[in-house]
Amino acid sequence: MKISPNKEDYIKAIYALNGAHEVISNKDIANELSVSAASVTDMNARLVKENLISYYPYKGVQLTALGVRVTNQLIRKHRLWEVFLYEKLGFQWNEVHDEADRLEHASSDKVTERLNDLLGNPQYDPHGGLIPNADGTIDEEKITLVPLTAIEVNQYFIVKEVPDDEHLLNYLFDKGISINDKYKLININAYDGMLTIKDVHTRDEVTISEKALEKIKVIQLMNG
Amino acid sequence: MKISPNKEDYIKAIYALNGAHEVISNKDIANELSVSAASVTDMNARLVKENLISYYPYKGVQLTALGVRVTNQLIRKHRLWEVFLYEKLGFQWNEVHDEADRLEHASSDKVTERLNDLLGNPQYDPHGGLIPNADGTIDEEKITLVPLTAIEVNQYFIVKEVPDDEHLLNYLFDKGISINDKYKLININAYDGMLTIKDVHTRDEVTISEKALEKIKVIQLMNG
DNA sequence: AAATATTTTTAGGTTAGCCTAAAATGAAGG
DNA sequence: CCTTCATTTTAGGCTAACCTAAAAATATTT
């Protein structure tokens, strides 16, 4: 049941590319991890054997339920170390990521939970990222949702909730906006109030009208 | 200049077998690390390339000055993590070793020194081991030497100093007792006061007479 | 629909660390 | 000094991760 640091990095990369919800291409993973596409094919075979991903030849991979859970536990370790580095060791928020990336592979569950206690069971890391639970679940209700109108230019956010309004849903669908995707607010038009937002993963920019804003609930993030 | 976790484990093992001061056999290293003797020959070649050990074919290896310094820096990391686990995370002294063994490979110098600050620049780990300096040196004068008479049954100690007395030196040499070796006090004979001590590495038990005790200076350890 | 471009897979190779079995070396005893 | 025994080294193989180059599959463009 123990998984190698390299495999941990792979499933984290897939997760970061939204692999909990959609099929992720070989190329994107190769890109994210700075390895060759052939290496990704290699590793995919290994991850399938451990039931961490589903593999669709020539299409890509998606995390299994187990894969999501394991990745969330990794992210928990990562983010708790980030809090520790930030709060206890006086690191700056931009320095903690790389250090935490190494420590996360070296900490047992026991150390992780003791660390959680030391830090007072924090809910967010220094970047504003939600810290998953020890069992690899995420408490969605802990998240403070705000209307999209509360976001300012250059801030990042994740779309979390839209009302069950057929016209609005169609509108957002046409624009390619999805639940759980991460965006950056690029511009608020001074004249008509329309927002230009950019999908962090696809890098597509779309413009949405003022009319929809109040109903879209998002999580505001501290950075990308 | 970065060295792999495996190599780090090798030089730590050589150091633990007193490889800072004497030539250590292939077999002993294989034993310490639970690998084959052939694997040790393999790794020796790699460590020589990095100038961490001197290699004497068919004889064994000894740490270079660089090897000693690097190992001490590793031991510093290990022991600081032990203090952290013990003092901040509430682990027991017998639980800290394995956890620290993993964390030591994952912590940068920067994290190590911040950790040192957080812990208030401690001098000893929970087992009583002296924490080396950041530059890989050891402040010998910090060590509190006590006569062997101060040790009690079942305690561990390291022989650190004997007077320049030819007869006593010969006596100890015949018994196989060496400077910097670690022992456990097994028994104090109620009638004649002779000590039975056991070499932690060779597992040899020897008996030494009361006469020699006061002159032998040792470091008392909290455990093995 | 065919041609072209992109992506994925396969094939074959590398390095770090490990292994076993056999050969070489060194140490110890008669 | 020579034989025996222990130890070390060599030889040949293994797995996890990587690589490049070529072949196969898919996507896009005309």
Side-chain angles (χ1 to χ4, degrees), chain A:
Chain A
M1 244 300 185
K2 199 154 96 250
I3 151 179
S4 78
N6 266 325
K7 285 176 185 165
E8 292 182 335
D9 286 341
Y10 265 81
I11 59 176
K12 274 214 318 177
I14 295 166
Y15 188 97
L17 293 164
N18 203 30
H21 303 293
E22 49 178 279
V23 173
I24 307 301
S25 79
N26 227 312
K27 197 200 169 196
D28 286 350
I29 299 168
N31 218 307
E32 181 89 3
L33 292 169
S34 299
V35 297
S36 72
S39 297
V40 175
T41 303
D42 244 42
M43 184 60 97
N44 283 344
R46 279 190 275 269
L47 295 176
V48 164
K49 267 193 242 160
E50 309 217 30
N51 194 29
L52 293 166
I53 61 171
S54 304
Y55 175 51
Y56 308 103
Y58 288 99
K59 298 284 206 139
V61 298
Q62 185 161 359
L63 291 172
T64 60
L66 175 64
V68 171
R69 210 171 66 231
V70 170
T71 307
N72 273 326
Q73 288 170 331
L74 262 175
I75 292 171
R76 174 178 176 80
K77 288 181 186 181
H78 181 93
R79 293 186 173 171
L80 284 171
W81 279 118
E82 287 194 335
V83 174
F84 172 74
L85 292 166
Y86 185 78
E87 300 209 336
K88 300 291 183 184
L89 297 195
F91 279 77
Q92 316 216 277
W93 68 268
N94 58 317
E95 300 174 310
V96 297
H97 183 82
D98 291 348
E99 299 283 0
D101 251 355
R102 273 176 271 117
L103 289 167
E104 73 186 15
H105 300 300
S107 39
S108 68
D109 290 348
K110 191 165 187 179
V111 165
T112 304
E113 296 321 308
R114 297 282 182 106
L115 187 63
N116 178 63
D117 294 345
L118 175 73
L119 299 170
N121 193 36
Q123 299 306 298
Y124 297 95
D125 73 15
H127 304 116
L130 180 68
I131 297 173
N133 300 316
D135 65 1
T137 60
I138 294 178
D139 293 340
E140 296 287 350
E141 62 273 20
K142 281 182 187 169
I143 302 168
T144 307
L145 298 179
V146 298
L148 187 39
T149 48
I151 304 296
E152 292 169 358
V153 170
N154 285 328
Q155 285 185 332
Y156 291 87
F157 57 92
I158 293 173
V159 175
K160 271 291 164 182
E161 198 181 311
V162 294
D164 189 13
D165 171 341
E166 192 182 355
H167 295 95
L168 177 57
L169 287 171
N170 286 341
Y171 178 77
L172 294 176
F173 183 85
D174 288 345
K175 298 276 185 186
I177 293 170
S178 313
I179 296 289
N180 285 322
D181 273 9
K182 194 193 284 186
Y183 300 90
K184 181 180 185 179
L185 179 51
I186 301 298
N187 181 255
I188 304 176
N189 186 289
Y191 173 65
D192 64 15
M194 287 184 77
L195 300 197
T196 303
I197 67 173
K198 178 169 151 188
D199 187 308
V200 169
H201 294 307
T202 66
R203 290 174 163 61
D204 290 338
E205 290 196 3
V206 293
T207 303
I208 30 180
S209 82
E210 205 180 4
K211 197 179 170 214
L213 302 186
E214 196 64 46
K215 313 262 190 65
I216 300 172
K217 296 293 199 298
V218 306
I219 307 166
Q220 184 187 330
L221 302 175
M222 305 295 279
N223 85 327

Side-chain angles (χ1 to χ4, degrees), chain B residues 5-207:
Chain B
N6 267 325
K7 285 175 185 164
E8 292 183 334
D9 285 341
Y10 266 82
I11 59 176
K12 275 215 316 178
I14 294 166
Y15 189 97
L17 293 165
N18 203 29
H21 302 293
E22 50 177 279
V23 173
I24 307 299
S25 79
N26 227 314
K27 196 197 172 200
D28 285 350
I29 299 168
N31 219 308
E32 180 90 0
L33 291 169
S34 299
V35 298
S36 73
S39 298
V40 175
T41 303
D42 246 41
M43 184 60 98
N44 283 344
R46 279 190 274 271
L47 295 176
V48 164
K49 265 193 243 161
E50 310 217 31
N51 193 28
L52 293 165
I53 60 172
S54 304
Y55 174 50
Y56 308 102
Y58 289 98
K59 298 282 205 139
V61 298
Q62 184 162 359
L63 291 172
T64 60
L66 175 64
V68 171
R69 208 170 68 230
V70 171
T71 307
N72 273 327
Q73 287 170 332
L74 262 174
I75 292 172
R76 174 177 176 80
K77 289 182 184 180
H78 180 93
R79 293 187 174 170
L80 284 171
W81 279 118
E82 286 194 335
V83 174
F84 172 74
L85 292 167
Y86 184 78
E87 299 209 337
K88 300 292 183 184
L89 297 195
F91 279 77
Q92 314 215 281
W93 67 267
N94 57 317
E95 299 174 311
V96 297
H97 184 83
D98 291 349
E99 299 284 0
D101 251 355
R102 272 177 273 116
L103 290 168
E104 72 186 16
H105 301 300
S107 38
S108 68
D109 289 348
K110 191 166 186 179
V111 165
T112 305
E113 296 321 309
R114 297 282 182 106
L115 188 64
N116 178 63
D117 293 345
L118 175 73
L119 299 171
N121 193 35
Q123 299 306 300
Y124 296 95
D125 73 15
H127 303 116
L130 180 69
I131 298 173
N133 301 317
D135 65 2
T137 60
I138 294 179
D139 293 339
E140 295 286 353
E141 60 274 22
K142 280 182 185 168
I143 302 170
T144 306
L145 297 180
V146 298
L148 187 40
T149 48
I151 304 297
E152 291 169 0
V153 170
N154 286 327
Q155 284 185 332
Y156 292 87
F157 58 91
I158 293 173
V159 175
K160 270 290 164 186
E161 200 181 310
V162 295
D164 190 14
D165 172 343
E166 192 181 354
H167 295 94
L168 177 57
L169 287 172
N170 286 341
Y171 178 76
L172 295 176
F173 183 84
D174 287 346
K175 299 275 185 186
I177 292 170
S178 313
I179 295 292
N180 285 321
D181 273 8
K182 194 193 282 185
Y183 300 91
K184 182 180 186 178
L185 178 52
I186 300 299
N187 182 255
I188 304 176
N189 185 290
Y191 174 64
D192 64 15
M194 287 184 79
L195 299 198
T196 303
I197 67 174
K198 180 170 150 188
D199 186 306
V200 168
H201 294 307
T202 66
R203 290 174 163 65
D204 291 337
E205 290 195 3
V206 294
T207 303

